[in-house]
Every structure is written in structure tokens, then in C-alpha cells.
Amino acid sequence: MGTRSKTRSNHSDQGGPISSETRINERIRVPEVRLVGPNGEQVGIVRIEDALRLAQENDLDLVEVAPQARPPVCKLMDFGKFKYESAQKARESRRNQQLTVIKEQKLRPKIDQHDYETKKGHVSRFLAAGNKVKVTIMFRGREQSRPELGFRLLQKLADDVTELGFVESTPKQDGRNMIMVLAPHKNVKPKVVKAEAEAPEA
């Protein structure tokens, strides 16, 4: 137990340095602990010697998960694996946050078919790249009295790109504009967006 514990206490198998804030194995210096098994089952209050013996017998670590409790709560787990998986999840979460960018596409309610196809192409590429798209209909002059034109246009756009994304925020009037937010489907793998997708907005 001594050699294995020393190795585990200094570093995890693959997850880098272990935080000194978390006490494991022989670092836990209390007479007894409330023990939780590797699958979350409640073992009960046991002597620290017995808890360490169970950890050794199961080739696991004794990890203090609630030091403020009386007695402290400890769990049997592979701490190296736990740290590695936690680091992986944190990296994945940061990567997803970086990839989720909100692009904007502006349209006029009386847009002609050619311009519409161009704008739809931009929206499709943004969604394919894993980005959200804020679609803004800009009303001018008397167009403001015909909000249904913008609503129908946004519905049509949402229907045309339904394979790539879905309506995350339904069309809402915002002053002279009407705004809708499209989000990519979770099963759409981000693709590299070519430079033309960043074409100037109308």
C-alpha cells in the first residue's frame, strides 16, 4: 500500500498533478470515516484502517469527498482515472464554449430570390460549422406595418435549413427589427467555414 499510495499521492496516472486540497489514502488522518463504495453504495462508518484496507484489496484509492462532515465522507475510487476524466470533461467543455459562436445574418422583408439564396447559404455554412445564427429582419418605413412579412420569411428560412439547425429563439419584434436565433443540431459535426461565409452583411 505504501509504495502504491506514494505514487498515487504525487500524481495521477494520466491527469497531471493532484490537487493538494484533496486528501487521499494515508493523507486522511482521522480515526474513522463514513465510507461510500465505488458504485455509490453506503458502507457506513468504519475505522480508517479498515477503509484503507478495503481500498488496497480493491486496487482503489480512498478519497475524501466531504472533509467538513463529521466524520468525513470518503469514497473508494480510482483517483488517477477520476482526475484524468475530469480534466478531459473540462477541456471538452472549454472547447465547446469556444466553438459556439453567434453569427448574424441580416435580411430585408422584401428580399429577392437571388439574395435570399445567398443569405441562406451563409446561414447554412454557419450552422454546419457548429455556430448559432442570429437572423435579423430589418424593416424600413411602411414595412414596419407588415411584420407578418418578416415572420413568414424567418419561418421559410428555418424550414430551408432544418437539416442543419433548429429554431432556438422564435421570431420576436425588437423595435424596427425582427429577430430569430437558429442553433445547430447536436449531431452536426462542425466543419471548417470557408472565407466566403464571412461575406459582408447586407
Side-chain angles (χ1 to χ4, degrees):
M1 184 69 184
T3 303
R4 178 178 174 277
S5 174
K6 183 178 180 181
T7 301
R8 289 265 183 165
S9 299
N10 291 333
H11 60 81
S12 66
D13 293 344
Q14 304 178 60
I18 291 175
S19 170
S20 59
E21 296 177 1
T22 302
R23 295 192 300 180
I24 69 171
N25 300 327
E26 279 83 6
R27 287 185 180 181
I28 306 170
R29 295 185 176 90
V30 293
E32 59 184 19
V33 299
R34 184 176 297 277
L35 186 63
V36 179
N39 297 314
E41 66 274 18
Q42 297 291 329
V43 178
I45 297 176
V46 300
R47 295 188 309 157
I48 187 65
E49 295 85 359
D50 295 332
L52 288 170
R53 178 177 51 78
L54 283 171
Q56 185 178 35
E57 289 175 354
N58 290 278
D59 195 29
L60 295 171
D61 293 299
L62 183 66
V63 182
E64 191 177 52
V65 294
Q68 302 304 322
R70 290 292 177 267
V73 179
C74 295
K75 183 174 182 180
L76 296 174
M77 68 171 76
D78 183 333
F79 194 57
K81 181 180 179 182
F82 171 76
K83 291 287 287 184
Y84 175 71
E85 290 178 348
S86 296
Q88 288 287 86
K89 288 178 182 177
R91 280 194 291 270
E92 186 66 24
S93 177
R94 287 194 297 271
R95 188 156 52 238
N96 289 338
Q97 290 175 355
Q98 292 167 357
L99 287 174
T100 304
V101 177
I102 297 181
K103 301 288 187 176
E104 185 171 16
Q105 195 63 225
K106 297 179 180 179
L107 295 80
R108 295 293 307 283
K110 296 181 179 179
I111 189 171
D112 64 45
Q113 188 60 30
H114 174 74
D115 286 344
Y116 172 79
E117 292 297 331
T118 299
K119 299 288 187 180
K120 183 180 73 174
H122 294 333
V123 171
S124 295
R125 284 191 289 273
F126 291 149
L127 291 172
N131 300 316
K132 293 184 180 182
V133 186
K134 175 183 175 184
V135 184
T136 303
I137 302 292
M138 301 180 298
F139 295 96
R140 293 179 185 172
R142 295 180 180 178
E143 292 174 348
Q144 296 180 59
S145 64
R146 300 289 304 281
E148 69 276 5
L149 293 177
F151 186 78
R152 283 201 296 266
L153 182 58
L154 290 175
Q155 279 191 314
K156 173 178 170 57
L157 178 61
D159 290 341
D160 287 347
V161 299
T162 188
E163 290 185 1
L164 293 170
F166 63 96
V167 178
E168 183 180 73
S169 178
T170 55
K172 292 182 178 63
Q173 193 78 30
D174 182 18
R176 294 184 177 183
N177 301 328
M178 182 175 286
I179 296 170
M180 174 181 73
V181 177
L182 296 170
H185 292 305
K186 291 184 179 179
N187 60 350
V188 174
K189 294 182 179 180
K191 299 177 182 177
V192 177
V193 181
K194 296 181 181 179
E196 63 263 29
E198 304 293 342
E201 311 292 357

